[in-house]
């Protein structure tokens, strides 16, 4: 027993003092070892460094890095890269009046970090700038036995965040493994520096960039992925979907898939006037897998379910399907939620309406049949609203509410009266200030009627057309009070005085009335 204790004690002492062994390497130790490299991020060895110099290094990770660089077997691909700042999504939302929804994960790294400690070297973060490393849990699921849509943790992204500084960063991954992203956002990204980041000896998952990579590289990335989810990005979209879904539905068609996504978003940009007015953001919209609900939009972008039952991957990962029928509608619908103008075209009651104006534009521009035509919503809406003498907001069918807004597109663009009606209208709204009594653009609060009349007057002004009769028939001047339940409760309160004043303003514009009864138009 005494001999065993002595041997055990000797082993402990040996293990602690053994060169290169350290269960918790310190930054100071690593900094000492980094002196064999010529740059702060260890991009090359100093001239004249020999194997014996490398063998003296204490930190095992740095020693392994130096050895592989010395024998020229180290790959810097994805491990060492530069990153630039993006406009903060909240700031972008304020500029475009669209709220949150653009990506918080722009700077994908292609690096997979398993549980454990990792060395990350960083250089050129400017004083006052804040940069983080983020690891989202793309595989998060509801607790066992809990119905996914009722997950007590919600449907959002769970993530681990690590603040980065110039020099050595020790990243201790304890909660979940995952892909790494550099969170680098600013209110003025043009003034930020380009930073360098080196993930020492990290495992590479890779990512696909449509502006850099080929179809063969797409397949190679998928075949060599070490994590269950793979990143890809286009000019307007980035996706984080399961590798197996990509292999099953788009193995030979990665460029086609991302191009179709870009085209879907590009068409909404066009309809919103972002192209015409040079407002297309450098930021992208994130489309990701989730395991809680079929399809939804939140402050991190749009999400599509990855498991049976009710999964959506077969709809949104197949490049042929995503521009046709229901899949095209579903993808455009969720992206449309990101682009709704708060509150100028997103007042209470339009939560599932104004985004579908964008969706109608995208789907029909791809040659798909008009959904409101296929569902006979024109007839239903005229019967319910016009003949019923109610406000369009009192019709519980959101597709019936959609009809008047789409008829404006049919008249001005479809009939060639004013093709840029909606692009110009959106730009006008972006340049407006919130109405008196509004706070923070929260979808009109209790100013539903006020924003509705604002839309009516601006539509007349922009189009140089007196649309009073059209809006009258659809109940935009309906006088009275009611509550609108639309992801929250909103009070509609229209007085005769408000109506009279609005009509007086329109009359003073001295505009011609349309020669066509726009309420009769259909696709």
């Amino acid at each position: 027993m005494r001999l065993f204790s002595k041997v055990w004690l000797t082993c402990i002492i040996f293990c602690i003092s053994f060169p290169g062994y350290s269960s918790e390497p310190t930054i100071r130790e690593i900094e000492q070892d980094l002196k064999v490299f010529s740059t702060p991020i260890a991009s090359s060895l100093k001239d004249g460094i020999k194997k014996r110099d490398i063998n003296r290094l204490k930190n095992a990770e740095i020693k392994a890095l130096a050895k592989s660089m010395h024998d020229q077997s180290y790959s810097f691909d994805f491990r060492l890269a530069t990153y630039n700042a993006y406009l903060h999504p909240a700031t972008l939302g304020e500029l475009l009046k669209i709220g949150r929804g653009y990506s918080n994960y722009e700077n994908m790294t292609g690096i997979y970090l398993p549980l454990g400690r990792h060395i990350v070297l960083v250089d050129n973060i400017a004083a006052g700038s804040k940069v983080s490393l983020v690891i989202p849990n793309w595989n998060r699921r509801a607790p066992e036995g809990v119905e996914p849509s009722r997950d007590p943790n919600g449907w959002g992204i769970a993530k681990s965040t690590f603040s980065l500084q110039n020099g050595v960063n020790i990243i201790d991954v304890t909660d979940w493994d995952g892909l790494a992203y550099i969170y680098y956002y600013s209110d003025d990204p043009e003034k930020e520096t380009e930073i360098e980041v080196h993930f020492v000896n990290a495992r590479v998952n890779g990512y696909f960039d449509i502006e850099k990579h080929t179809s063969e590289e797409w397949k190679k990335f998928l075949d060599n992925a070490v994590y269950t989810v793979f990143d890809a990005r286009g000019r307007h979209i980035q996706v984080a979907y399961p590798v197996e879904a990509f292999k099953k539905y788009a193995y030979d068609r990665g460029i086609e898939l991302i191009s179709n996504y870009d085209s879907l978003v590009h068409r909404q940009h066009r309809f919103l006037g972002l192209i015409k007015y040079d407002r297309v953001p450098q930021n992208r919209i994130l489309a990701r897998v989730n395991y809680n609900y079929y399809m939804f939009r939140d402050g991190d972008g749009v999400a599509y379910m990855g498991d049976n039952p009710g999964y959506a991957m077969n709809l949104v990962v197949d490049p042929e399907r995503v521009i046709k029928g229901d899949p095209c509608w579903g993808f455009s619908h969720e992206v449309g939620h990101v682009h709704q103008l708060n509150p100028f075209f997103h007042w209470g009651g339009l939560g599932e309406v104004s985004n579908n104006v964008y969706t109608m534009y995208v789907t029909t521009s791809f040659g798909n049949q008009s959904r409101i035509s296929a569902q006979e919503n024109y007839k239903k809406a005229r019967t319910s609203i016009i003949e019923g003498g109610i406000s369009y907001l009192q019709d519980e069918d959101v597709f019936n509410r959609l009809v008047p807004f789409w008829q404006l597109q049919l008249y001005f663009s479809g009939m060639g009266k004013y093709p840029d009606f909606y692009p110009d209208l959106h730009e006008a709204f972006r340049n407006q200030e919130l109405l008196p009594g509004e706070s923070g653009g929260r979808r009109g609060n209790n100013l539903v009627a006020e924003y509705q009349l604002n839309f009516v007057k601006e539509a007349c002004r922009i189009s140089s057309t007196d649309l009073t009769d059209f809006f009258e028939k659809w109940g935009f001047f309906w006088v009275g009070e009611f509550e609108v339940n639309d992801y929250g409760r909103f009070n509609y309160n229209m007085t005769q005085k408000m109506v009279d004043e609005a009509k007086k303003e329109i009359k003073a514009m001295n505009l011609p009335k349309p020669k066509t009864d726009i309420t009769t138009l259909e696709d």
Side-chain angles (χ1 to χ4, degrees):
M1 182 66 181
R2 188 174 301 169
L3 178 62
F4 175 81
S5 300
K6 185 176 181 180
V7 171
W8 179 244
L9 179 61
T10 302
C11 180
I12 292 175
I13 295 172
F14 176 79
C15 290
I16 292 175
S17 62
F18 186 80
Y21 177 87
S22 176
S23 60
E24 295 186 6
T26 66
I27 290 178
R28 185 177 179 181
E29 289 173 346
I30 296 171
E31 288 174 341
Q32 289 295 320
D33 284 353
L34 287 174
K35 291 180 179 180
V36 300
F37 299 96
S38 61
T39 66
I41 55 168
S43 58
S44 62
L45 290 169
K46 288 181 178 177
D47 292 339
I49 293 296
K50 308 295 183 182
K51 285 186 177 180
R52 62 175 178 270
D53 301 314
I54 296 173
N55 288 333
R56 294 192 190 102
L57 301 180
K58 295 182 178 181
N59 181 266
E61 286 296 314
I62 301 301
K63 180 184 289 188
L65 170 65
K67 282 184 176 180
S68 57
M69 289 178 64
H70 188 270
D71 61 25
Q72 299 183 345
S73 63
Y74 190 74
S75 174
F76 286 102
D77 288 350
F78 296 102
R79 290 173 175 151
L80 175 60
T82 58
Y83 301 92
N84 289 295
Y86 282 85
L87 183 63
H88 196 286
T91 305
L92 175 63
E94 292 174 3
L95 290 173
L96 300 184
K97 291 187 169 65
I98 59 172
R100 296 292 291 267
Y102 273 75
S103 177
N104 288 295
Y105 301 88
E106 288 282 359
N107 279 313
M108 54 182 68
T109 67
I111 294 299
Y112 164 64
L113 297 180
L115 297 177
R117 299 170 73 84
H118 307 275
I119 299 174
V120 179
L121 308 177
V122 181
D123 192 30
N124 212 32
I125 298 178
S129 296
K130 294 183 179 181
V131 183
S132 301
L133 186 154
V134 178
I135 306 174
N137 185 3
W138 296 133
N139 292 315
R140 185 183 70 82
R141 288 167 169 78
E144 187 175 352
V146 176
E147 202 280 318
S149 67
R150 299 182 181 277
D151 189 339
N153 298 312
W155 301 349
I157 300 174
K159 62 185 178 183
S160 298
T161 303
F162 306 87
S163 179
L164 295 178
Q165 61 184 6
N166 287 325
V168 179
N169 298 265
I170 298 177
I171 306 301
D172 196 0
V173 181
T174 58
D175 295 324
W176 49 73
D177 61 339
L179 301 177
Y181 302 81
I182 302 300
Y183 187 89
Y184 189 19
Y185 290 94
S186 170
D187 290 338
D188 194 354
E190 297 299 324
K191 293 183 178 180
E192 300 291 345
T193 59
E194 181 180 71
I195 65 171
E196 292 182 287
V197 181
H198 185 181
F199 292 87
V200 175
N201 301 324
R203 297 184 65 183
V204 174
N205 198 60
Y207 65 78
F208 178 82
D209 187 329
I210 198 170
E211 296 186 304
K212 297 179 181 179
H213 300 128
T214 66
S215 294
E216 287 305 310
E217 286 175 305
W218 165 269
K219 291 192 288 185
K220 184 178 179 181
F221 288 144
L222 294 180
D223 289 338
N224 295 322
V226 296
Y227 184 61
T228 56
V229 169
F230 183 71
D231 285 315
R233 68 182 174 204
R235 295 171 182 84
H236 308 303
I237 195 79
Q238 72 172 104
V239 297
Y241 290 154
V243 173
E244 290 308 311
F246 279 133
K247 285 184 176 180
K248 185 173 182 179
Y249 302 112
Y251 183 66
D252 294 305
R253 297 182 293 171
I255 289 180
E256 182 184 354
L257 174 64
I258 303 304
S259 294
N260 284 349
Y261 278 152
D262 273 343
S263 184
L264 285 159
V265 179
H266 172 83
R267 291 169 196 233
Q268 290 202 15
H269 286 165
R270 183 168 61 204
F271 190 82
L272 290 157
L274 299 181
I275 296 174
K276 179 176 180 178
Y277 291 97
D278 195 27
R279 289 181 178 267
V280 176
Q282 294 296 313
N283 301 55
R284 300 171 181 85
I285 293 175
L286 169 67
R288 69 185 194 269
V289 66
N290 90 97
Y291 296 96
N292 290 104
Y293 194 72
Y294 181 56
M295 295 182 182
F296 64 90
R297 172 258 174 169
D298 61 11
D300 281 307
V302 297
Y304 304 96
M305 197 165 190
D307 274 346
N308 280 318
Y311 73 112
M313 287 293 106
N314 65 326
L315 304 180
V316 297
V317 183
D318 185 328
E320 197 170 318
R321 296 189 71 182
V322 78
I323 58 173
K324 294 181 180 178
D326 286 346
C328 185
W329 182 277
F331 189 88
S332 303
H333 173 93
E334 301 304 341
V335 171
H337 274 306
V338 174
H339 283 142
Q340 287 172 295
L341 266 68
N342 293 325
F344 299 95
F345 195 23
H346 192 202
W347 57 84
L350 296 194
E352 295 292 346
V353 177
S354 54
N355 65 314
N356 279 339
V357 180
Y358 314 146
T359 309
M360 282 286 293
Y361 176 77
V362 173
T363 55
T364 56
S365 70
F366 274 110
N368 294 288
Q369 183 183 11
S370 160
R371 175 166 286 199
I372 56 177
S373 178
Q375 296 175 168
E376 298 186 344
N377 290 108
Y378 291 106
K379 179 181 178 181
K380 294 175 183 177
R382 280 192 286 266
T383 300
S384 170
I385 301 169
I386 296 178
E387 295 178 15
I390 64 173
S391 162
Y392 72 100
L393 287 178
Q394 290 174 301
D395 192 312
E396 294 185 0
D397 190 332
V398 294
F399 289 101
N400 289 348
R401 296 182 199 174
L402 171 62
V403 169
F405 296 102
W406 186 244
Q407 285 181 328
L408 292 173
Q409 171 70 4
L410 294 178
Y411 180 70
F412 288 114
S413 184
M415 296 182 68
K417 303 295 183 181
Y418 187 177
D420 282 351
F421 169 72
Y422 268 117
D424 289 351
L425 185 62
H426 280 81
E427 179 65 9
F429 289 146
R430 282 190 289 268
N431 290 320
Q432 282 188 345
E433 297 296 328
L434 294 174
L435 297 180
E438 179 61 83
S439 59
R442 295 181 56 203
R443 299 191 54 209
N445 292 327
N446 293 324
L447 301 177
V448 172
E450 286 85 349
Y451 278 104
Q452 182 173 286
L453 290 179
N454 182 68
F455 180 92
V456 169
K457 291 183 290 184
E458 204 62 26
C460 293
R461 187 185 69 81
I462 286 293
S463 66
S464 296
T465 307
D466 187 340
L467 299 168
T468 303
D469 295 339
F470 169 78
F471 286 118
E472 184 80 69
K473 289 183 178 181
W474 284 119
F476 279 71
F477 297 120
W478 193 90
V479 175
E481 295 183 39
F482 58 84
E483 186 177 74
V484 183
N485 189 359
D486 181 28
Y487 300 108
R489 298 189 179 277
F490 301 86
N491 294 323
Y492 175 96
N493 186 0
M494 183 78 76
T495 67
Q496 188 61 52
K497 181 180 179 182
M498 293 166 62
V499 171
D500 292 342
E501 289 178 350
K503 289 183 176 180
K504 183 178 179 180
E505 286 186 49
I506 296 170
K507 187 175 182 180
M509 297 178 192
N510 195 29
L511 304 173
K513 291 181 179 289
K515 296 180 180 180
T516 302
D517 183 354
I518 302 176
T519 66
T520 65
L521 297 182
E522 299 184 15
D523 293 277

